Amino acid sequence: MSRGYNKIFWGILFTLFNINIVGIKILPTFVALLIISSGIKILIEESSEEYFKKALIFNNIRVIITILLFILDFTPINEVINSKNIISQIIININLVLDLITMTLLLKGSSEVFNKNEEISLYCNKRISLYICIFSSLIIIFNLTYIFLNEGMEVIIALAMIVIWLWVAFIFRRLRSESL
């Protein structure tokens, strides 16, 4: 299981960093999400946990969305999607909610897998509640800043989300260590 958690860890880190050279993405988001999917598949193979199977479905939906967005980057529609309008806001929200669901299911599945180890199971359960509360609040605040056009606040929310994603990545790093 440590290989699966390791891939999830690196996939989350790669989703945070968009590396562009001359306007071309070197590591598109969908590649990072595919790395997460491969990690989830390993967890499913080694545990058959239902929460992992559900997480894989939601993560694969994100993969499809990000592949479509990557392809649309090379079309004139790109300007509509990347501009500040309701379409881009809807796409961002769909991705954020899918991320929330995927990570919650992964943590819940991990709690079940580590059921025999009460300390790790409790560790996962506490992180689930905290993650849901904080990330949901950030999504709501992010949308409020869009409604009231407060660009300065958007930057603060984006930074907070990055910190949360890093926190989640390191939760999976710890789970990798525990599963050795």
Side-chain angles (χ1 to χ4, degrees):
M1 291 191 59
S2 64
R3 280 185 23 242
Y5 284 122
N6 198 43
K7 286 187 176 202
I8 292 168
F9 169 77
W10 285 107
I12 293 170
L13 287 185
F14 291 149
T15 59
L16 295 176
F17 304 105
N18 286 323
I19 302 167
N20 296 321
I21 295 180
V22 194
I24 298 173
K25 291 182 180 178
I26 300 301
L27 185 66
T29 305
F30 73 86
V31 173
L33 292 173
L34 286 170
I35 293 169
I36 293 172
S37 287
S38 70
I40 297 171
K41 286 177 186 173
I42 292 170
L43 296 179
I44 291 169
E45 289 170 7
E46 295 183 9
S47 73
S48 306
E49 177 57 51
E50 285 300 314
Y51 288 112
F52 292 151
K53 292 175 184 175
K54 291 176 186 176
L56 181 62
I57 292 167
F58 286 104
N59 195 67
N60 286 340
I61 294 169
R62 286 182 69 206
V63 169
I64 292 166
I65 290 171
T66 54
I67 288 172
L68 291 173
L69 291 173
F70 180 76
I71 292 168
L72 290 175
D73 271 349
F74 301 103
T75 67
I77 297 172
N78 176 41
E79 291 182 29
V80 173
I81 292 173
N82 287 331
S83 65
K84 257 193 126 123
N85 61 36
I86 194 70
I87 295 170
S88 65
Q89 196 66 16
I90 290 169
I91 292 169
I92 290 169
N93 277 294
I94 289 170
N95 268 319
L96 290 174
V97 170
L98 288 171
D99 182 77
L100 176 68
I101 294 167
T102 301
M103 294 306 149
T104 301
L105 289 169
L106 283 172
L107 289 170
K108 185 65 180 160
S110 298
S111 174
E112 295 295 321
V113 166
F114 286 103
N115 201 4
K116 293 175 185 163
N117 185 337
E118 193 175 312
E119 178 188 344
I120 298 303
S121 184
L122 183 62
Y123 172 82
C124 290
N125 284 328
K126 285 182 179 179
R127 294 332 179 255
I128 293 168
S129 301
L130 193 57
Y131 176 71
I132 291 171
C133 290
I134 293 172
F135 203 73
S136 298
S137 299
L138 288 174
I139 292 172
I140 292 167
I141 295 168
F142 177 74
N143 283 292
L144 289 174
T145 61
Y146 176 78
I147 292 168
F148 297 112
L149 301 173
N150 188 340
E151 291 181 16
M153 192 65 170
E154 283 181 356
V155 172
I156 294 169
I157 297 301
L159 290 174
M161 286 184 173
I162 289 171
V163 169
I164 293 298
W165 281 318
L166 284 170
W167 176 66
V168 170
F170 281 98
I171 290 171
F172 289 111
R173 189 69 167 174
R174 176 168 181 201
L175 293 174
R176 182 192 75 74
S177 301
E178 294 293 335
S179 64
L180 290 176

